[in-house]
Amino acid sequence: METINDFIANALPYTEWPMFVLLICGGLFLVAYSKFLPYRYFGHAIAITAGKYDDKNAKGDVSSFQALSAAVAATVGLGNISGVAIAIHDGGPGVIFWIWMTALIGMCIKFYSCSLSIMFRSTDDKGKVQGGPMYYITKGLGPKAKPLAIFFALCGLFGFLGVFTANQFTETFMSVIEPSETLFAMSDESWKWTVGVLLAVITSFVIFGGLTKIAKVASAIVPFMVAVYLVAVVAVMVMNASQIIPSLKMIFTEAWNFNTVVTGGFWGLVIIGVRRAMFSNEAGLGSAPMYHGQSKTDNAVKEGLVAMLGPFIDTILVCTFTAIVIILSGAYLEDQSGIVMTLNAFERTLGSYGDDLLMVIVSAFALSTLFTYSYYGVKCLTFLTNAKIGKYYNWYFVIMIIFAAVASLELVKNLIDLSYALMVIPNMIAVLLLAPKVNAAAKDYFKKLKHDGA
């Protein structure tokens, strides 16, 4: 495993700058090019998500709300709980500011990419509606661009494994349960294998049921668990109200610390923020368009507006609350990373029940993320082969859950960072080139909306 980790770690620096330029510079271009349209129609996006503008006769397999829930299930999870802790460990409290900036830009990127997922939908060899980067690359840019779509799908076979989630769930279990003190006296390594196998079995019951089952489970679990998590962190902030302003102040001041000790200095700090924000809300990655491409709608702009809410819920809200709890608790001052730091923060602020509560929340988030991630991988393999072979990705996915449970955090983190950085390249190239088509559709949509309203 050390050899694999060294190879991935050495490859990462060569992918960071293309990813940074396309995600941030490309995203800023889209914000200006849209004339801030996604932000101006934030309230309208909420109304669409609530079902006010649903068309029951539209093509697709799931509602816009279910698509958003499934996409958010893949992002509101351990990326928000342990991913934020990893970011603070690697870059200090100031990294949160750069996560915010990337998320705000990401809202606009998701508006464009998920609009394209409806605009350029296709069907697989079984006649099922399909959407996502592979399809808007090939249909939108033409056959000559197919190598870009193939490259994206190949990277997705690794990027959409649930390795980070399985790894951090196992760490949570080991930290909270302390299995070595239970009746089942096994070594920590044996416990990790056991947890990995159980997690794989539970995941199998849902993912082999296909998209509809995944969407139903995700839309049932996610809203409730997000609410529970938010109640918990709000309770912590209320009990430590005097520390909220100093924590936020620290985030802003450290964000501009040009003498930071982070490897790579100030720009290293910014890149850590971009990495973790992309892992948190997946804007620019191209995963969310795969779910939103299945929505029961024939209007691309409506779906883009719904998708835009994802980064706001996931990063601006959930990540911020997690960061404040970690900072005000002082847990970030200890040499801990990942879920262990967040567990420590909750235990300090909520007492002995804090880590137990987080364990329950993490369990739900971990399972919902694993359910949704598997579908992304199935779509990638289906595009590369056919629908029949694509389903076999689930077996590979389940096996890798067990591997991730015993792997090191460093290996898992590097694998995800490399895969994501590579996937951003073809996806953002396509989104930027096809942006004029989304603008034209948006102009028509809002003109009609204004006319109908009048």
Side-chain angles (χ1 to χ4, degrees):
M1 286 189 186
E2 286 184 13
T3 304
I4 297 172
N5 187 47
D6 290 342
F7 173 79
I8 295 172
N10 291 330
L12 261 175
Y14 298 101
T15 63
E16 283 176 341
W17 283 107
M19 176 268 291
F20 180 83
V21 170
L22 285 167
L23 197 64
I24 302 303
C25 298
L28 287 171
F29 167 78
L30 292 175
V31 170
Y33 188 55
S34 70
K35 298 179 181 178
F36 301 93
L37 183 149
Y39 314 102
R40 289 189 285 118
Y41 287 95
F42 191 88
H44 183 60
I46 294 173
I48 296 170
T49 307
K52 186 176 179 180
Y53 299 92
D54 280 358
D55 179 2
K56 295 180 180 179
N57 298 316
K59 296 176 184 177
D61 296 322
V62 294
S63 68
S64 292
F65 173 72
Q66 285 180 321
L68 179 64
S69 294
V72 170
T75 54
V76 176
L78 294 182
N80 306 86
I81 299 174
S82 60
V84 170
I86 290 171
I88 293 174
H89 173 268
D90 293 346
V95 77
I96 301 302
F97 177 84
W98 298 109
I99 288 177
W100 289 339
M101 294 303 101
T102 307
L104 288 172
I105 295 170
M107 290 173 69
C108 195
I109 294 173
K110 276 204 175 178
F111 166 71
Y112 277 92
S113 61
C114 292
S115 293
L116 290 170
S117 72
I118 298 295
M119 197 175 293
F120 295 103
R121 283 203 279 204
S122 186
T123 54
D124 59 24
D125 56 307
K126 288 192 173 182
K128 283 253 184 181
V129 173
Q130 299 291 343
M134 302 88 73
Y135 300 97
Y136 56 71
I137 289 173
T138 50
K139 290 188 72 177
L141 299 180
K144 289 183 179 179
K146 191 169 183 178
L148 276 179
I150 292 172
F151 180 75
F152 175 89
L154 286 171
C155 294
L157 297 179
F158 299 95
F160 293 134
L161 291 170
V163 288
F164 181 84
T165 298
N167 177 274
Q168 290 296 278
F169 175 83
T170 305
E171 285 299 315
T172 306
F173 179 87
M174 299 295 288
S175 298
V176 175
I177 304 300
E178 296 181 356
S180 58
E181 298 180 8
T182 65
L183 295 173
F184 303 98
M186 294 191 292
S187 66
D188 284 355
E189 194 72 13
S190 297
W191 267 107
K192 286 182 178 181
W193 281 103
T194 303
V195 172
V197 170
L198 287 173
L199 199 56
V201 170
I202 294 169
T203 303
S204 299
F205 284 122
V206 175
I207 66 174
F208 287 101
L211 170 66
T212 305
K213 190 170 184 178
I214 292 171
K216 284 181 179 178
V217 173
S219 58
I221 293 177
V222 174
F224 175 71
M225 290 316 300
V226 169
V228 171
Y229 184 65
L230 291 180
V231 167
V233 293
V234 168
V236 170
M237 289 191 286
V238 168
M239 291 187 290
N240 299 272
S242 62
Q243 296 300 313
I244 295 175
I245 299 300
S247 298
L248 289 171
K249 185 179 178 181
M250 185 180 293
I251 290 172
F252 281 100
T253 54
E254 287 297 309
W256 300 98
N257 181 1
F258 287 87
N259 297 314
T260 178
V261 296
V262 175
T263 303
F266 174 72
W267 285 111
L269 174 67
V270 176
I271 286 175
I272 290 171
V274 174
R275 272 188 193 172
R276 298 279 73 82
M278 184 172 62
F279 178 63
S280 170
N281 61 57
E282 298 174 5
L285 180 63
S287 54
M290 294 186 189
Y291 268 114
H292 286 281
Q294 310 295 108
S295 295
K296 289 180 180 177
T297 180
D298 291 324
N299 192 295
V301 176
K302 281 169 59 177
E303 197 60 32
L305 288 170
V306 170
M308 173 198 72
L309 299 174
F312 181 83
I313 297 168
D314 173 85
T315 306
I316 303 299
L317 291 180
V318 183
C319 282
T320 299
F321 289 155
T322 303
I324 290 173
V325 170
I326 289 172
I327 294 169
L328 66 80
S329 70
Y332 75 99
L333 296 170
E334 297 185 13
D335 188 20
Q336 298 172 329
S337 187
I339 197 68
V340 177
M341 181 191 289
T342 315
L343 285 167
N344 187 11
F346 269 74
E347 190 171 15
R348 287 184 179 199
T349 53
L350 292 177
S352 58
Y353 295 104
D355 55 352
D356 293 327
L357 174 63
L358 189 61
M359 176 69 197
V360 175
I361 295 168
V362 164
S363 299
F365 279 164
L367 290 172
S368 65
T369 302
L370 289 174
F371 299 159
T372 50
Y373 256 56
S374 66
Y375 181 67
Y376 294 149
V378 168
K379 289 198 72 165
C380 287
L381 187 57
T382 297
F383 177 79
L384 293 169
T385 56
N386 56 53
K388 187 176 181 180
I389 295 175
K391 291 181 179 180
Y392 287 106
Y393 181 86
N394 283 331
W395 292 101
Y396 163 58
F397 183 88
V398 166
I399 291 169
M400 291 304 290
I401 288 175
I402 301 171
F403 156 79
V406 297
S408 69
L409 173 59
E410 194 67 22
L411 171 58
V412 166
K413 186 174 67 173
N414 286 341
L415 175 62
I416 293 298
D417 284 342
L418 178 61
S419 300
Y420 279 18
L422 290 172
M423 290 162 71
V424 163
I425 297 170
N427 182 55
M428 283 303 296
I429 288 173
V431 171
L432 289 167
L433 291 175
L434 294 169
K437 294 185 182 295
V438 177
N439 274 20
K443 185 178 179 180
D444 290 341
Y445 173 74
F446 288 109
K447 185 178 180 181
K448 185 177 183 299
L449 187 70
K450 187 177 181 181
H451 179 268
D452 292 345

